């Protein structure tokens, strides 16, 4: 699986994939990551890739030409989904993650376009972008973090990335419920003990307790998810 990140800050991308589970996914050749610096496709001596917006206004807009050249540098780019991270995009959630995971398994390659400044020239979006996504109703300084959030969530659904594939089925949101509480050694921390049922060895009772706790926590913190559960 090849993931391409079109960005002004490739070090942000490369650094993220140099640690933990994402690093192992690279080392195990489950994924390959390509951080492509859009500035390399500028056609001026200062590698400038932004300009003032037509019609006036604050900030700068990323120019179309360098981005288009960066896209076209990828072999068979026409066959690859190009994902643009934008506040106006489809909200990214577990359902969308699962859809994108299936698409990645089928298509084998994704391109993430990471915007910056006041945005990207609309003509790039109109001509080349296939999907627009948002990770929340807030604004960040660039598209790198949203792209990494999406990539991380998708990659961990690929077979072999997690040590135990059952981890996915028990996580928050996978069944429209928040996850149950987790405990580890020691049994006693200050005046707090591990619930006795988790020490009982009775797997049926443990499963029942966990489901009840998931429902309780979801009802308290995210009751909107219970509507989906029904």
């Amino acid at each position: 699986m090849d993931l391409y990140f079109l960005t002004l800050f490739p070090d942000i991308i490369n650094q993220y994939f140099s640690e933990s589970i994402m690093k192992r996914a690279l080392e195990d050749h489950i994924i390959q990551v390509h951080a492509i610096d859009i500035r390399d496709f500028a056609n001026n001596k200062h590698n400038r890739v932004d300009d003032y917006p037509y019609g006036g206004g604050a900030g700068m807009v990323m120019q179309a030409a360098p981005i288009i050249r960066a896209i076209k540098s990828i072999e068979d780019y026409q066959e690859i989904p190009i994902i643009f991270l934008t506040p106006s995009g489809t909200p990214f959630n577990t359902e969308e993650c699962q859809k994108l995971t299936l698409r990645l398994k089928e298509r084998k390659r994704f391109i993430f376009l990471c915007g910056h400044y006041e945005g990207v020239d609309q003509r790039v979006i109109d001509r080349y972008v296939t999907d627009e996504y948002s990770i929340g109703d807030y604004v960040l300084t660039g598209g790198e973090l949203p792209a990494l959030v999406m990539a991380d969530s998708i990659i961990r659904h690929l077979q072999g990335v997690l040590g135990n594939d059952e981890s996915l089925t028990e996580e928050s949101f996978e069944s429209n419920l928040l996850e149950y509480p987790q405990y580890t050694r020691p049994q006693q921390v200050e005046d707090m003990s591990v619930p006795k049922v988790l020490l009982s060895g009775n797997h049926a009772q443990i499963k029942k307790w966990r489901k009840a706790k998931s429902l309780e926590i979801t009802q308290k913190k995210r009751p909107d998810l219970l509507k989906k559960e029904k």
Side-chain angles (χ1 to χ4, degrees):
M1 311 287 182
D2 287 271
L3 300 179
Y4 300 85
F5 295 83
L6 306 186
T7 173
L8 298 179
F9 303 98
D11 288 347
I12 294 176
I13 306 300
N14 291 327
Q15 179 62 38
Y16 189 78
F17 286 94
S18 68
E19 303 286 348
S20 189
I21 292 172
M22 296 298 110
K23 179 181 179 181
R24 292 204 303 270
L26 277 174
E27 292 175 342
D28 292 342
H29 306 291
I30 298 172
I31 59 168
Q32 294 186 62
V33 172
H34 313 270
I36 298 175
D37 191 342
I38 296 171
R39 294 185 194 278
D40 290 342
F41 298 89
N43 59 359
N44 57 81
K45 65 179 181 179
H46 298 296
N47 291 332
R48 182 175 177 177
V49 295
D50 63 328
D51 211 330
Y52 295 102
Y54 279 121
M60 307 291 279
V61 176
M62 291 179 66
Q63 296 172 306
I67 298 173
I68 292 171
R69 286 193 286 268
I71 291 172
K72 290 184 175 181
S73 73
I74 301 170
E75 185 177 1
D76 298 325
Y77 70 89
Q78 304 96 325
E79 302 175 8
I80 309 173
I82 299 178
I83 300 170
F84 178 52
L85 291 308
T86 169
S88 62
T90 299
F92 182 69
N93 53 27
T94 296
E95 183 179 354
E96 292 299 324
C97 178
Q98 291 169 344
K99 290 178 183 177
L100 287 172
T101 302
L102 290 175
R103 285 178 68 189
L104 180 59
K105 290 177 179 178
E106 294 170 357
R107 306 295 287 273
K108 306 301 183 185
R109 296 189 291 172
F110 275 176
I111 297 172
F112 291 96
L113 173 57
C114 306
H116 216 72
Y117 309 121
E118 285 300 308
V120 168
D121 190 303
Q122 183 64 35
R123 289 166 289 189
V124 174
I125 300 168
D126 293 342
R127 176 66 57 86
Y128 295 94
V129 168
T130 60
D131 301 88
E132 297 181 56
Y133 277 97
S134 167
I135 64 166
D137 295 335
Y138 46 86
V139 178
L140 299 173
T141 55
E144 287 76 18
L145 288 178
L148 289 170
V149 166
M150 289 185 63
D152 185 301
S153 187
I154 293 167
I155 290 167
R156 63 199 311 279
H157 280 79
L158 300 177
Q159 187 173 6
V161 172
L162 298 182
N164 183 353
D165 289 339
E166 289 184 6
S167 298
L168 284 172
T169 62
E170 297 184 357
E171 289 180 331
S172 293
F173 306 113
E174 291 298 327
S175 59
N176 290 324
L177 294 175
L178 299 180
E179 191 176 10
Y180 49 79
Q182 298 280 10
Y183 299 86
T184 189
R185 297 176 182 175
Q187 291 185 24
Q188 192 78 18
V189 175
E190 295 183 342
D191 60 344
M192 298 175 287
S193 300
V194 175
K196 291 182 179 180
V197 65
L198 299 180
L199 307 174
S200 68
N202 187 324
H203 297 294
Q205 288 298 316
I206 291 172
K207 183 177 181 180
K208 182 178 179 181
W209 179 88
R210 286 175 169 171
K211 180 62 180 286
K213 282 296 181 181
S214 288
L215 286 168
E216 177 186 327
I217 292 170
T218 305
Q219 179 65 59
K220 181 179 180 180
K221 297 182 177 181
R222 289 291 305 277
D224 58 295
L225 293 175
L226 292 176
K227 297 178 182 178
K228 298 179 182 179
E229 170 77 356
K230 296 176 182 178

